[in-house]
Amino acid sequence: MSALINTALSEPELPFYAPSGSECLLFEHAYRNQLPVLLKGPTGCGKTRFVAHMAERLGRKLYTVSCHDDLTSADLTGRYLLKGGETVWVDGPLTRAVREGAIVYLDEVVEARKDVTVVLHPVTDDRRLLPLERTGELLAAPPEFMLVVSYNPGYQNVLKSLKPSTRQRFVALEFGFPAPEEEARIVSSESGLPRERCVPLVRVANALRELTGQDIEEGASTRLVIHCASLIASGIKPEIAIEAALLQPLTDDPDVMTALARIAEIALG
């Protein structure tokens, strides 16, 4: 009995992820070959969960950075800070990942300032080096280090896109929304709502996705469908949950909201 307990404690359950193709195999081979990976796909389709799943599967520590307009290269590499009256160097997540042989994931990398991509170039080619100008160090990434970035090509405009010189440093994996039956299974697994009750929610989400780029910037993500199903599973009426979790997050325009509600009503039958 004690042996079984020890085994269970030493083998934590992987974050749930349902593969839709060969993405897990490709990611693992990219890791083995020390290749950086670019994940492309719409918001809420599972990119972040996929990275968490693969990091656990490969037994590597994961550093996740949500990129934004104010993110600088120093936020990734590190900076000098005052501690106890002394100035000390504090590593950023990219530097820690290089030192430790971990995986670092930059979510929505194009949202960061342009100087960030300059820092990434040396660690994404055959040099795999991270120069720290402020400390004078030149860190060589160990074989276990991996850089993963993501972005949503459908949402970005010409002012926020990856340059070809950056894109061509990565192995690219494209993500989309699962097939309806698979998405219903995922939503059920994540929310606890029976699969047959998730099917109409997925049908509503797919109807809303057809409006992407027209009345709304993006359609309902799988994440939103899971939120909706979770509310229903906890006792909220379906119509209230659909409005709060699937419709309201997509628009602030009252007329568009009315149209979305009508589309959801038709999709539900």
Side-chain angles (χ1 to χ4, degrees):
M1 179 65 72
S2 59
L4 292 175
I5 294 174
N6 289 336
T7 300
L9 292 175
S10 63
E11 297 180 1
E13 185 177 349
L14 293 178
F16 175 78
Y17 176 77
S20 60
S22 57
E23 66 270 26
C24 293
L25 180 65
L26 284 169
F27 189 98
E28 187 167 345
H29 277 262
Y31 172 77
R32 303 298 180 199
N33 287 279
Q34 302 176 32
L35 301 174
V37 170
L38 165 66
L39 309 180
K40 304 186 298 179
T43 299
C45 69
K47 299 188 297 293
T48 300
R49 176 64 67 86
F50 170 70
V51 178
H53 173 87
M54 292 306 301
E56 192 69 43
R57 182 165 161 175
L58 293 169
R60 307 313 308 165
K61 186 173 182 178
L62 175 64
Y63 290 97
T64 298
V65 180
S66 296
C67 298
H68 52 80
D69 291 339
D70 295 326
L71 186 78
T72 67
S73 58
D75 293 320
L76 293 180
T77 57
R79 51 170 51 91
Y80 283 103
L81 297 175
L82 282 174
K83 285 191 175 182
E86 296 183 359
T87 302
V88 297
W89 173 261
V90 178
D91 285 341
L94 176 60
T95 303
R96 291 197 298 272
V98 170
R99 292 192 196 276
E100 299 171 11
I103 296 174
V104 62
Y105 172 50
L106 307 184
D107 188 21
E108 298 296 346
V109 66
V110 295
E111 296 295 334
R113 286 169 46 169
K114 292 183 178 180
D115 64 328
V116 167
T117 56
V118 175
V119 170
L120 298 182
H121 281 186
V123 294
T124 53
D125 58 27
D126 56 359
R127 294 171 293 173
R128 287 172 58 88
L129 297 173
L130 179 62
L132 301 178
E133 295 182 3
R134 295 187 180 184
T135 65
E137 292 180 87
L138 184 61
L139 302 180
E144 298 81 8
F145 168 78
M146 186 180 195
L147 173 66
V148 184
V149 303
S150 74
Y151 84 114
N152 179 356
Y155 181 70
Q156 310 306 331
N157 57 42
V158 70
L159 297 177
K160 286 189 175 183
S161 61
L162 287 178
K163 294 181 179 179
S165 60
T166 300
R167 291 169 60 98
Q168 293 189 26
R169 294 170 181 271
F170 293 85
V171 172
L173 303 179
E174 186 166 6
F175 284 70
F177 296 114
E181 61 277 8
E182 179 62 20
E183 187 168 16
R185 187 180 74 83
I186 293 170
V187 172
S188 177
S189 174
E190 291 286 285
S191 67
L193 190 68
R195 193 196 65 81
E196 62 272 14
R197 298 188 65 189
C198 296
V199 169
L201 302 181
V202 171
R203 193 162 59 242
V204 171
N206 279 318
L208 296 173
R209 289 165 188 162
E210 292 180 1
L211 301 176
T212 301
Q214 302 175 39
D215 293 325
I216 54 178
E217 289 185 350
E218 284 197 295
S221 66
T222 301
R223 179 188 299 126
L224 289 186
V225 185
I226 292 171
H227 290 174
C228 182
S230 298
L231 291 175
I232 296 172
S234 67
I236 296 295
K237 292 182 178 179
E239 59 272 22
I240 296 175
I242 289 172
E243 179 179 349
L246 284 180
L247 305 183
Q248 290 288 358
L250 300 183
T251 184
D252 295 321
D253 186 308
D255 293 334
V256 174
M257 182 64 193
T258 300
L260 296 183
R262 178 55 182 159
I263 290 171
E265 183 181 350
I266 293 172
L268 288 172

